[in-house]
Amino acid sequence: MAREQEEALLRITARYVAEEQAGQQPRLSDYLARYPQYASAIADFVAYYHAVEMYVPAGMDADTSLSAISREVLRRVQARVRQQPEQRGNLLPLANGRSFTLEELADRLNLTLDIMIQLEQRLIEPATIPYELCKRLAAALEQPVSVVQEYFQTDDQSRQAAENRAKPRLWVAEEQACYPGSTQRPGFRQVLKASLLISAEQAADWEAVLAREML
Amino acid sequence: MVDLEVQGVVDSVCRVTDECERDEEVVKRRIGLAQIYGSLPRYASTAFWRTLQSADIPLEVLVRCFRSALAQGDVQGRDRIIEIIFLRIQTMNEYWAASVLKSLAVPADERYALMCDLCADLYESVIRALMNPERLFWEENFLHCLYFERKHVYRSLMMREGRWHDLGVKRSTRIPRGLLASLDQPVQQADNGIHSFDIEDEQAQRMLQTVESFDLLQLVLHLPDRLRAVVLLIFWEGRSEKDAARVLGISDRTVRNRIQAAKKLLRDLLATERECAFYG
């Protein structure tokens, strides 16, 4: 399963669990009908959740020291993990040792915190992010624009396309087709419109940028 | 008819409103977490570590701190944060591991070693997930991501211990006499003249209907992906075959075939389990 589909599945099942824990008794059939492309995975999780996880208390107190099992296991695991290559971090560490919060960065870019979070989490389609935004962000982080652009670019789409090509042909009456929009990232303009925090002046500023860059 | 249509529109409006409200909640939660992360003292200062050790800091914020330490190449900081995270979740994980092993009836002398293995597998998969900055949901709902990791570890344990087997691999199984009798019934002819495999298997049907809800869920976990949803809808949620077909967007015939396939697997499984119990 591609990373974006996995995230979508996590969101859907998290909603199921939240409803279950709130005593709303969610119906599995509603979820299967609404998300047919994830039907098997949802059914798998729901069966596991009700068979195993429901009986594990979630709000257990933190311990003051690691148990013998945890200490031994952690030592073994950390030694194994240390041999693995490290991966790319998130946006703030690009700030060359300067200390920023996301709120401060949002102020410098004339954006809002909710949009900044989505930018940092790469939840916005990179092709729709204006160059002006990359320029402002690069200036704030004292990095070249290319570093910021590279941060937003992920190879998820090409990977997903390759996976789709490699998928075996479905038989008649096997699974319903996926809704293509469900795993696509929203565009910057969409995010701007959906923001709960943006002021009219900020929106106008970015609308002008989008128009100028013909996005 | 009109009433039904109106009800449909009302349902869809409620659903849209409901989803908007939920989206708003998600955004608010993200903002809340970002604010907590933003208000942390300077990284690696004494105040920073003191704050991180307090139980008030959400696990999702600890994940961001871990990833920040990782990006800065601070190995000591990274290990310290992972220790804080594990301190917060170890009781829960050990409870989970113990309850999984309890359901397997593992001999007491093997229990400790198996528990170590289970925890090691879980901790390794959690650390690997945290080290991957593309797995963003860990920064939004730690506990839910943990459920998924535990599900993968649980599944691997069951396969490794031979409790679940690869359905592609043929196993020799002893079929009980009663079931053999039901299999001896002639194959029914469907309306359209095509021979279908609708062998009446009352015993397996009865087993599925009378089995306790908890046991049914355990059994469902043994089934292959394509069969799980159908069995849950019919035997757990009490839907009709027609309803299940509508929900899954497949034909009634496919539903019936999947139920038959599930019953056959269940029959094999129960026969194997009975043999295991008989021979110890």
Side-chain angles (χ1 to χ4, degrees), chain B residues 35-259:
Chain B
Q35 279 168 339
I36 296 173
Y37 181 75
S39 66
L40 287 176
R42 191 171 51 79
Y43 178 79
S45 63
T46 316
F48 173 82
W49 291 115
R50 203 180 308 122
T51 311
L52 247 53
Q53 270 155 349
S54 90
D56 302 335
I57 296 294
L59 287 161
E60 292 81 1
V61 172
L62 291 177
V63 174
R64 290 196 65 176
C65 294
F66 173 84
R67 287 178 176 170
S68 177
L70 196 67
Q72 293 175 40
D74 178 7
V75 176
Q76 278 185 336
R78 184 191 77 180
D79 289 352
R80 200 165 164 184
I81 296 169
I82 203 73
E83 208 171 303
I84 295 171
I85 292 176
F86 283 167
L87 266 176
R88 296 272 296 274
I89 58 173
Q90 75 171 353
T91 318
M92 192 185 4
N93 286 336
E94 285 173 17
Y95 187 100
W96 165 80
S99 64
V100 164
L101 294 178
K102 208 164 127 189
S103 72
L104 293 185
V106 176
D109 55 333
E110 284 180 30
R111 187 162 294 203
Y112 184 80
L114 262 180
M115 185 141 166
C116 280
D117 284 353
L118 253 185
C119 288
D121 288 352
L122 178 64
Y123 287 179
E124 180 161 357
S125 62
V126 168
I127 292 179
R128 287 192 192 287
L130 297 187
M131 288 175 78
N132 185 350
E134 286 180 6
R135 299 186 66 174
L136 293 165
F137 204 62
W138 283 90
E139 296 175 24
E140 201 173 308
N141 192 335
F142 184 98
L143 208 55
H144 193 70
C145 294
L146 188 63
Y147 290 157
F148 264 81
E149 293 307 323
R150 293 204 292 227
K151 181 168 82 71
H152 296 317
V153 172
Y154 175 74
R155 183 169 289 276
S156 325
L157 173 88
M158 298 302 251
M159 299 293 276
R160 202 170 54 222
E161 290 296 305
R163 307 284 167 160
W164 296 355
H165 59 275
D166 188 343
L167 294 160
V169 179
K170 181 77 186 144
R171 271 190 166 196
S172 61
T173 50
R174 188 184 64 82
I175 302 173
R177 278 169 193 276
L179 289 176
L180 274 176
S182 76
L183 283 170
D184 284 341
Q185 289 177 20
V187 175
Q188 290 168 354
Q189 183 113 15
D191 292 340
N192 54 7
I194 300 166
H195 288 283
S196 67
F197 289 95
D198 283 349
I199 299 168
E200 202 60 52
D201 191 347
E202 288 173 9
Q203 191 171 343
Q205 173 85 18
R206 264 204 312 278
M207 279 172 184
L208 270 174
Q209 279 168 343
T210 55
V211 84
E212 290 288 325
S213 162
F214 173 79
D215 294 331
L216 173 69
L217 293 164
Q218 293 278 354
L219 290 170
V220 168
L221 291 171
H222 290 69
L223 297 174
D225 287 354
R226 71 194 172 87
L227 304 181
R228 274 186 217 126
V230 171
V231 172
L232 280 178
L233 283 176
I234 292 179
F235 296 100
W236 190 58
E237 214 175 78
R239 299 252 156 196
S240 65
E241 285 182 2
K242 241 185 182 26
D243 259 0
R246 189 181 47 76
V247 166
L248 297 172
I250 53 180
S251 69
D252 297 9
R253 172 174 282 272
T254 308
V255 168
R256 276 197 298 278
N257 287 341
R258 288 187 188 180
I259 289 293

Side-chain angles (χ1 to χ4, degrees), chain A residues 32-190:
Chain A
L32 298 184
R34 204 182 302 174
Y35 306 104
Q37 68 273 43
Y38 299 116
S40 300
I42 293 173
D44 180 36
F45 175 78
V46 167
Y48 167 78
Y49 177 76
H50 285 276
V52 181
E53 289 295 347
M54 256 182 77
Y55 304 95
V56 181
M60 291 180 134
D61 289 340
D63 285 322
T64 46
S65 63
L66 287 173
S67 65
I69 290 182
S70 292
R71 197 173 307 114
E72 167 60 21
V73 160
L74 200 56
R75 191 186 55 75
R76 260 161 45 191
V77 169
Q78 279 180 335
R80 264 209 307 267
V81 168
R82 271 201 195 103
Q83 295 162 0
Q84 302 292 316
E86 294 192 347
Q87 302 199 36
R88 196 164 46 153
N90 52 14
L91 182 58
L92 289 176
L94 293 180
N96 264 344
R98 295 169 58 109
S99 173
F100 279 120
T101 64
L102 274 184
E103 269 168 322
E104 285 166 351
L105 268 184
D107 280 347
R108 281 169 175 255
L109 270 61
N110 197 24
L111 274 175
T112 54
L113 182 59
D114 56 346
I115 299 179
M116 207 57 226
I117 291 169
Q118 293 181 66
L119 279 169
E120 201 208 22
Q121 299 190 347
R122 299 190 195 94
L123 297 175
I124 302 174
E125 183 55 46
T128 65
I129 298 174
Y131 180 75
E132 175 65 25
L133 190 152
C134 297
K135 224 168 71 181
R136 289 185 198 180
L137 190 53
L141 298 173
E142 294 181 1
Q143 291 281 348
V145 179
S146 59
V147 171
V148 173
Q149 282 175 321
E150 194 204 340
Y151 176 85
F152 291 134
Q153 287 292 342
T154 54
D155 56 355
D156 283 347
Q157 281 175 322
S158 53
R159 193 178 60 208
Q160 206 171 336
E163 276 173 9
N164 285 341
R165 278 196 300 277
K167 266 184 196 162
R169 196 164 59 88
L170 291 176
W171 293 99
V172 175
E174 264 303 302
E175 298 289 340
Q176 281 188 349
C178 294
Y179 295 136
S182 60
T183 57
Q184 264 175 7
R185 284 177 282 189
F188 182 75
R189 187 187 288 275
Q190 252 176 299

